């Protein structure tokens, strides 16, 4: 169970992991901590990774008292001591961040799910085979 | 679609375990030939219109409830797999359609030389059948599943007219194809069991949505719930879903009499049958044969050779991705049904390894999956994050080798002593290591793949020496052969030990070849079904 102080800690950590860019604040400033907590709670692997990463960071007050470089150092220490959990936690954070419509807008990506609209299938152009069609069969007979 | 058991007390002619690629093909063929067929499947029917590719959080589902890895998905119908001692993790889907619900549907064929590895290269074993023996069933399967493609490939024997024109290779495909042309190397548009036009009942053309591995909303990708199963059910085949077979039962003479299974409510049930066909895939089948041990069969069923579960082959997969200066919009179009190259397919001893590989081109998906990692390279966190993501996101294409993975007895499926599935049955344990031959093959592929991508204009190359979550192809664990001491089934898929037990999935492969295996698995299944039809009238009531 993640308790409130962890939300502060997570928010601060998210701002260092995915910092501000263009008009967008960092991932923490976009209020994604709650979504990361909610998504993690649905799968024990993600929950376990979140708990381990937060547990490997200084206490919320100590982390918040650090400057940017200090927070990055603390994150790097957690990353090297809990490599697998940190990696899985990053996967959750990245996926949550890149589901956000404002992020899609900044990337210039349509942001739609693949279906039902899909994309347009281009026409088949047989001329692409011009060179390879000239090659003699070369499969090995058995 | 739901199915209920009709007259469960009757003795069916044929009882099939598993409703995936091979089980469905056998069910359709034998029910069309007038056999009374029942199939028991631990998973359920899928509704195409509920596939998660239409959900805004599809990228999240791809790593949780719709992961290709059963150890991550962990649905009740999945069984866990102990992979602690394996360099590769098996991936699969358990349900009507089996792994064809999640597959990419890239559908090349084995080469004639793949059936003669011992004669030609002095390693492994020859198959007891040849490419020519299988060809009619390859053709039949191409028509039932629906194959898009074009004949004339110089790397393969001539092939019948494909039922549909090829899937267009797109501008990105042309970039890579052009590089192969300039290097003087082979390439060809991929054969794909994906509709390039409307084909089959209620199946639309592909709309290039770009995400094959979470079910196809368009029903353009052939999965056997859409192709073989409707035919089988029309012919009277019975498909029992949500039911897990825990044992094949035998009589005092050692012949198969049916199966014990747990139904959807967890009740222990028995079904009798004149014959049993195993189609539970290269892991599920040896697992069940080993689970079916008894006084008469102390090492498991059909295991007098001791080879059940041995010689597990995956296809070695690793490879290269190229980051291009221009946008290639890699989320448009099927993920890996674009082009292949078989320049390095056949053995050349000068390369330092035996056998060879196919290059398969691949695209990417949404920004979340790019951030999580192309070729195993996660985008770094911190100040560099945005710059790296933006460089890769719309600009990355992959070239992965599918390498021949020669059989070795120590690579195996056994029963785990502690881990169990949701029914309390022992889970399979995989023991698998990458051989020196496979390592040399992958290294060669990485060097050559880098050349191609650079020739195509890539300015950055991301290398993955060997991917872990790539056990798509589950092969070799109950292989076929003429010699009962060196194989589990004969050339018709019939057990050497038990004349009314058949195996039709990838377990029967003698060697793996260097292509995606499912057209071969289904051709073998159809051939076995025809053998039963033509030679085993004794199994019909
Ligand atoms: C992500 C992914 C991509 C792939 N891409 C390709 C590709 O591009 N080309 C290609 O050729 N192949 C591809 N494959 C592989 C292909 O899907 C398999 O080769 C094929 O489905 C194997 O067929 P099968 O009949 O042996 O087993 P499956 O299709 O796996 O079916 C086995 C069925 O048996 C059931 N079963 C198992 N045990 C029991 C039991 N005890 N009781 C009841 N039911 C049981 C399972 O639930 C399952 O439904 C891919 C696979 C995956 C997962
Ligand atoms: S790319 Fe085509 S075949 Fe693949 S899931 Fe989308 S519509 Fe189906």
């Amino acid at each position: 169970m993640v308790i409130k102080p962890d939300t502060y800690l997570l928010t601060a950590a998210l701002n260092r992991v995915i910092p501000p860019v263009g008009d967008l604040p960092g991932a923490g400033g976009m209020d994604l901590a709650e979504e990361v907590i909610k998504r993690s709670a649905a799968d024990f692997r993600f929950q376990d990774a979140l708990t381990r990463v937060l547990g490997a960071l200084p206490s919320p007050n100590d982390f918040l008292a650090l400057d940017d470089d200090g927070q990055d150092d603390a994150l790097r220490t957690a990353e090297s001591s809990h490599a697998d959990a940190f990696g899985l936690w990053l996967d959750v954070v990245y996926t949550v961040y890149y589901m956000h419509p404002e992020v899609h807008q900044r990337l210039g990506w349509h942001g739609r799910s693949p279906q039902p609209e899909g994309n347009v299938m281009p026409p088949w152009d047989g001329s692409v085979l011009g060179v390879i069609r000239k090659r003699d069969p070369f499969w090995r007979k058995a | 679609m739901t199915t209920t058991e009709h007259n469960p007390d009757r003795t069916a002619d044929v009882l099939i375990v598993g409703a995936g690629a091979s089980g469905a093909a056998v069910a359709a063929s034998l029910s069309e030939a007038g056999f009374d067929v029942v199939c028991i499947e631990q998973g359920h029917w899928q509704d195409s219109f509920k596939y998660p590719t239409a959900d805004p959080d599809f990228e999240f589902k791809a790593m949780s409830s719709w992961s290709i890895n059963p150890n991550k998905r962990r649905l009740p119908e999945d069984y866990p797999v102990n992979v602690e001692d394996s360099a590769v993790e098996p991936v699969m889907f358990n349900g009507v359609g089996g792994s064809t619900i999640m597959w990419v549907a890239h559908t090349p064929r084995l080469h004639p030389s793949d059936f003669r590895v011992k004669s030609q290269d002095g390693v492994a074993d020859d198959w007891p059948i040849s490419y020519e023996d299988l060809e009619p069933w390859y053709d039949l399967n191409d028509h039932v599943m629906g194959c898009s493609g074009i004949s004339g490939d110089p790397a393969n024997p001539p092939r019948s007219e494909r039922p549909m024109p090829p899937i267009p290779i797109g501008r990105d495909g042309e970039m890579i194809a052009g590089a192969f042309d300039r290097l003087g190397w082979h390439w060809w548009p991929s054969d794909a069991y994906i509709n390039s036009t409307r084909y089959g009942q209620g199946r639309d053309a592909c709309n290039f949505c770009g995400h094959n591995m979470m079910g196809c909303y368009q029903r353009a990708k052939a999965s056997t719930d859409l192709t073989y199963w409707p035919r089988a059910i029309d012919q009277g085949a019975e498909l029992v879903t949500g039911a897990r077979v825990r044992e094949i039962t035998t009589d005092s003479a050692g012949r198969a009499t049916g199966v014990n299974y747990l139904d959807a409510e967890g009740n222990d049930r028995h079904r009798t049958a004149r014959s049993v066909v195993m189609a539970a895939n290269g892991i599920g089948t040896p697992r069940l044969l080993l689970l079916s041990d008894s006084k008469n069969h102390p090492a498991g069923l059909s295991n007098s050779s001791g080879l059940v579960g041995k010689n597990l082959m995956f296809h070695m997969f690793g490879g290269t991705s190229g980051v291009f200066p221009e946008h290639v919009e890699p989320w448009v179009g099927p993920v890996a049904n674009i082009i292949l190259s078989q320049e390095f397919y056949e053995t050349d001893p000068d390369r330092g390894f035996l056998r060879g590989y196919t290059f398969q081109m691949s695209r990417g998906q949404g920004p979340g999956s790019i951030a999580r990692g192309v070729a195993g390279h996660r985008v770094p966190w911190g100040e560099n994050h945005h710059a790296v993501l933006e460089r890769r996101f719309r600009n990355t294409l992959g070239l992965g080798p599918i390498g021949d993975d020669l059989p070795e007895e120590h690579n195996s499926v056994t029963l785990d002593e502690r881990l169990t599935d949701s029914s309390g049955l022992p889970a399979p344990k995989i023991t698998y290591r990458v051989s020196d031959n496979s390592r040399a093959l992958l290294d060669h592929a990485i060097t050559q793949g880098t050349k191609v991508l650079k020739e195509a204009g890539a300015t950055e190359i991301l290398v993955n020496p060997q991917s872990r979550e790539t056990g798509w192809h589950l092969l070799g664990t109950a292989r076929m052969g003429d010699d009962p001491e060196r194989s589990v089934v004969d050339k018709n898929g019939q057990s050497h030990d038990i004349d009314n037990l058949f195996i039709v999935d990838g377990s029967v492969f003698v060697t793996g070849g260097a292509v995606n295996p499912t057209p071969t698995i289904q051709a073998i299944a159809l051939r076995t079904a025809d053998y039963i039809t033509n030679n085993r009238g004794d199994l019909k009531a």
Side-chain angles (χ1 to χ4, degrees):
Chain A
M1 178 71 189
V2 179
I3 50 165
K4 198 74 183 159
D6 286 344
T7 311
Y8 297 130
L9 177 58
L10 182 58
T11 298
L14 291 184
N15 279 332
R16 294 310 306 154
V17 167
I18 307 185
V21 60
D23 295 340
L24 291 181
M30 292 174 67
D31 288 337
L32 294 181
E34 291 294 351
E35 183 68 9
V36 169
I37 290 168
K38 193 183 98 193
R39 293 273 173 186
S40 301
D43 187 316
F44 89 85
R45 290 180 308 123
F46 302 151
Q47 179 65 57
D48 182 59
L50 174 63
T51 308
R52 278 171 198 265
V53 170
L54 294 183
L57 291 174
S59 71
N61 285 342
D62 288 350
F63 189 80
L64 286 164
L66 295 169
D67 63 11
D68 287 354
D69 287 345
Q71 291 186 349
D72 285 357
D73 284 345
L75 281 161
R76 269 191 286 274
T77 305
E79 185 174 26
S80 57
S81 62
H82 294 76
D84 287 349
F86 197 92
L88 193 52
W89 173 71
L90 274 185
D91 286 348
V92 174
V93 169
Y94 286 177
T95 309
V96 166
Y97 181 78
Y98 286 103
M99 282 177 353
H100 200 287
E102 286 177 42
V103 175
H104 297 162
Q105 208 176 359
R106 196 191 72 75
L107 286 173
W109 188 51
H110 60 59
R112 295 190 315 264
S113 54
Q115 293 288 3
E117 209 173 313
N119 299 293
V120 176
M121 189 193 291
W124 160 249
D125 171 11
S127 71
V128 293
L129 293 172
V131 174
I132 187 62
R133 278 243 191 247
K134 294 191 187 116
R135 184 151 174 189
D136 289 333
F138 65 100
W139 49 278
R140 192 175 173 194
K141 305 257 178 338
Chain B
M1 192 175 323
T2 54
T3 33
T4 46
E5 291 187 66
H6 25 242
N7 188 9
D9 295 331
R10 78 186 193 282
T11 297
D13 294 333
V14 181
L15 187 148
I16 302 168
V17 183
S22 58
V26 169
S29 177
L30 288 179
S31 54
E32 278 164 13
F35 285 83
D36 175 8
V37 172
V38 58
C39 174
I40 301 195
E41 165 57 50
Q42 64 191 347
H44 306 280
W45 286 95
Q46 303 299 313
D47 178 347
S48 317
F49 298 115
K50 294 198 177 135
Y51 282 136
T53 44
D55 299 343
D57 63 348
F58 70 99
E59 294 219 83
F60 203 89
K61 289 190 170 128
M63 55 183 228
S64 52
S65 54
W66 274 84
S67 168
I68 56 175
N69 186 335
N71 285 346
K72 295 184 176 167
R73 205 168 53 227
R74 295 198 321 275
L75 300 176
E77 58 267 37
D78 292 321
Y79 53 84
V81 183
N82 181 340
V83 289
E84 276 165 19
D85 291 332
S86 178
V88 175
E89 291 193 41
V91 296
M92 64 178 89
F93 187 79
N94 297 308
V96 178
S99 302
T100 64
I101 298 294
M102 288 195 154
W103 74 332
V104 167
H106 189 256
T107 53
R109 297 181 181 183
L110 287 182
H111 284 205
S113 68
D114 288 319
F115 297 84
R116 296 289 173 265
V117 171
K118 177 83 172 171
S119 310
Q120 295 203 334
D121 294 320
V123 287
D125 275 298
D126 288 348
W127 291 54
I129 54 175
S130 66
Y131 175 84
E132 291 72 24
D133 287 334
L134 268 190
E135 198 172 4
W137 289 279
Y138 271 129
D139 284 345
L140 173 62
N141 195 56
D142 285 348
H143 277 86
V144 180
M145 295 292 279
C147 184
S148 297
I150 186 162
S151 35
D153 178 1
N156 281 274
R159 208 167 275 185
S160 61
E161 193 67 23
R162 315 287 68 212
M164 283 174 278
I167 303 280
I169 67 173
R171 198 173 60 84
D172 50 355
E174 287 176 23
M175 283 166 60
I176 305 293
F180 278 115
D181 278 345
R182 289 192 293 281
L183 289 166
W185 291 355
H186 169 262
W187 74 274
W188 198 255
S190 294
D191 265 9
Y193 286 175
I194 288 183
N195 286 1
S196 59
T197 58
R198 272 175 171 266
Y199 188 91
Q201 219 178 1
R203 297 185 49 217
D204 251 315
C206 169
N207 70 1
F208 262 50
C209 86
H211 206 309
N212 292 43
M213 286 189 278
M214 297 169 86
C216 179
Y217 188 97
Q218 284 285 100
R219 302 170 146 232
K221 181 180 79 169
S223 46
T224 58
D225 57 329
L226 305 176
T227 56
Y228 280 107
W229 274 115
R231 292 167 75 129
I233 288 167
D234 270 0
Q235 295 298 320
E238 178 190 4
L239 173 52
V240 183
T241 56
R244 178 172 277 150
V245 177
R246 64 174 183 78
E247 179 187 27
I248 302 161
T249 53
T250 50
D251 61 18
S252 55
R255 296 186 84 230
T257 53
V259 299
N260 288 329
Y261 70 98
L262 296 151
D263 69 14
E265 284 75 47
N267 303 310
D268 221 335
R269 307 276 297 271
H270 179 71
R271 288 291 295 249
T272 54
R274 288 178 190 82
S275 61
V276 171
V277 174
M278 290 303 303
N281 84 30
I283 291 182
T285 286
R287 176 193 185 211
L288 195 55
L289 293 174
L290 295 173
L291 279 172
S292 304
D293 61 342
S294 63
K295 206 160 80 183
N296 285 342
H297 305 277
L301 217 54
S302 193
N303 198 15
S304 62
S305 64
L307 290 175
V308 168
K310 303 273 173 67
N311 295 304
L312 171 66
M313 295 173 281
F314 298 113
H315 280 126
M316 300 315 307
F317 198 83
T320 43
S321 289
V323 184
F324 292 83
E326 68 267 48
H327 289 172
V328 290
E329 314 293 34
W331 54 83
V332 178
V335 74
N337 306 66
I338 315 159
I339 65 169
L340 55 68
S341 166
Q342 297 189 325
E343 184 65 27
F344 304 106
Y345 197 95
E346 307 287 0
T347 297
D348 177 349
D350 290 345
R351 294 186 195 131
F353 57 89
L354 294 171
R355 309 304 298 160
Y357 57 90
T358 294
F359 272 128
Q360 186 176 349
M361 180 191 157
S362 61
R363 299 187 167 114
Q365 289 153 19
S369 63
I370 299 288
R372 292 200 299 267
V374 172
H377 294 257
R378 191 183 279 117
V379 171
W381 61 270
E383 291 305 332
N384 255 341
H385 178 81
H386 297 290
V388 175
L389 186 284
E390 279 165 45
R391 200 164 67 234
R392 290 184 193 165
F393 168 47
R394 355 171 60 113
N395 305 54
T396 306
L397 297 171
L399 203 54
I402 296 203
D404 200 344
D405 177 18
L406 293 167
E408 296 176 293
E409 281 193 23
H410 59 79
N411 291 334
S412 62
V413 178
T414 51
L415 295 180
D416 196 83
E417 284 170 11
R418 284 186 299 278
L419 191 65
T420 55
D421 65 18
S422 58
S423 315
L425 302 174
K429 173 178 163 58
I430 307 296
T431 306
Y432 182 88
R433 60 173 187 261
V434 178
S435 69
D436 291 346
N437 194 68
S438 295
R439 185 63 266 159
L441 180 154
L442 280 174
D443 289 343
H444 187 272
I446 287 166
T447 309
Q448 306 309 321
T450 300
K451 263 188 215 163
V452 178
L453 290 167
K454 284 192 171 159
E455 177 63 37
T459 46
E460 184 187 354
I461 305 290
L462 305 170
V463 171
N464 188 349
Q466 188 243 319
S467 320
R468 193 170 157 78
E469 208 172 78
T470 50
W472 305 297
H473 307 153
L474 311 172
L475 309 171
T477 47
R479 63 185 185 161
M480 59 162 66
D482 293 328
D483 179 355
E485 290 187 3
R486 299 213 20 89
S487 55
V488 178
V489 295
D490 70 11
K491 64 181 180 187
N492 298 312
Q494 181 176 312
S495 159
H496 287 302
D497 299 352
I498 302 172
D499 79 344
N500 64 343
L501 177 69
F502 299 85
I503 303 178
V504 294
D505 54 43
S507 312
V508 303
F509 276 43
V510 180
T511 51
V515 289
N516 322 62
T518 310
T520 307
I521 292 175
Q522 292 184 298
I524 288 171
L526 292 170
R527 185 174 177 277
T528 292
D530 276 2
Y531 167 78
I532 293 173
T533 300
N534 296 327
N535 300 281
R536 295 302 303 270
D538 60 307
L539 301 177
K540 213 184 231 178

